[in-house]
Amino acid sequence: AQSVTQLDSHVSVSEGTPVLLRCNYSSSYSPSLFWYVQHPNKGLQLLLKYTSAATLVKGINGFEAEFKKSETSFHLTKPSAHMSDAAEYFCVVSTGSNDYKLSFGAGTTVTVRA
Amino acid sequence: SQTIHQWPATLVQPVGSPLSLECTVEGTSNPNLYWYRQAAGRGLQLLFYSVGIGQISSEVPQNLSASRPQDRQFILSSKKLLLSDSGFYLCAWRTTTQYFGPGTRLTVL
């Protein structure tokens, strides 16, 4: 079985400061891991994905995530938050192409203070 | 490139009325297709997924049904809407990565 735990339901940062969104996963097999972002009343947009290549994954909009197998973590970071980063973020795990379903975290809401 | 369409974007329906939400995908063949729902203050709930025409798997027992009449078309339906059916409905398609449509906001009054 696979599952994802997002450790923070809400993160508040000041504009220009770093953002850290924490995600731990549980998987019986080598996982694929994803981060999605959702702005209000919009669909989910893929930020980045890890599929067993480089452990440090760079995504869109300056985000990156590091896969740490020993810690079963896939935390999302950005060096400098922008007002447009205010949104909800989902960490997602999949255990392979034959696994038709993904497991979603509960989401982390990010607010950015001016 | 691949594109996913959902319509309508917003919908307000009375309790007991029928529902039909449509999702179509362009630029890919034989995708896995999914319907999700987000209720207020809750995460994503997988409702249905389909690995091919006419093949539907239901994740939770409920008032909704899904159909896949064509390879790139996925329809979510209900015969009689309930208040609890209100939410944001997302269609998605997947090969190795999952991509989401823009969503439909359904309000049942």
Side-chain angles (χ1 to χ4, degrees), chain A residues 59-73:
Chain A
I60 63 172
N61 301 336
F63 284 95
E64 63 181 35
E66 186 171 9
F67 173 72
K68 292 187 177 180
K69 186 176 181 179
S70 61
E71 299 177 9
T72 61
S73 69

Side-chain angles (χ1 to χ4, degrees), chain A residues 24-86:
Chain A
N24 286 110
Y25 70 92
S26 170
S27 175
S28 302
Y29 304 97
S30 297
S32 294
L33 292 155
F34 309 83
W35 276 99
Y36 288 86
V37 61
Q38 184 181 31
H39 290 90
N41 292 310
K42 300 292 185 183
L44 277 69
Q45 180 185 19
L46 180 68
L47 278 177
L48 49 81
K49 62 179 179 180
Y50 165 79
T51 54
S52 76
T55 57
L56 182 62
V57 182
K58 294 188 182 297
I60 63 172
N61 301 336
F63 284 95
E64 63 181 35
E66 186 171 9
F67 173 72
K68 292 187 177 180
K69 186 176 181 179
S70 61
E71 299 177 9
T72 61
S73 69
F74 191 56
H75 301 335
L76 181 71
T77 60
K78 182 173 180 177
S80 177
H82 190 271
M83 296 300 288
S84 60
D85 295 326

Side-chain angles (χ1 to χ4, degrees), chain A residues 82-111:
Chain A
H82 190 271
M83 296 300 288
S84 60
D85 295 326
E88 188 159 19
Y89 293 78
F90 294 94
C91 183
V92 181
V93 65
S94 163
T95 54
S97 60
N98 290 327
D99 181 1
Y100 301 119
K101 297 181 287 183
L102 304 177
S103 291
F104 283 79
T108 299
T109 300
V110 172
T111 58

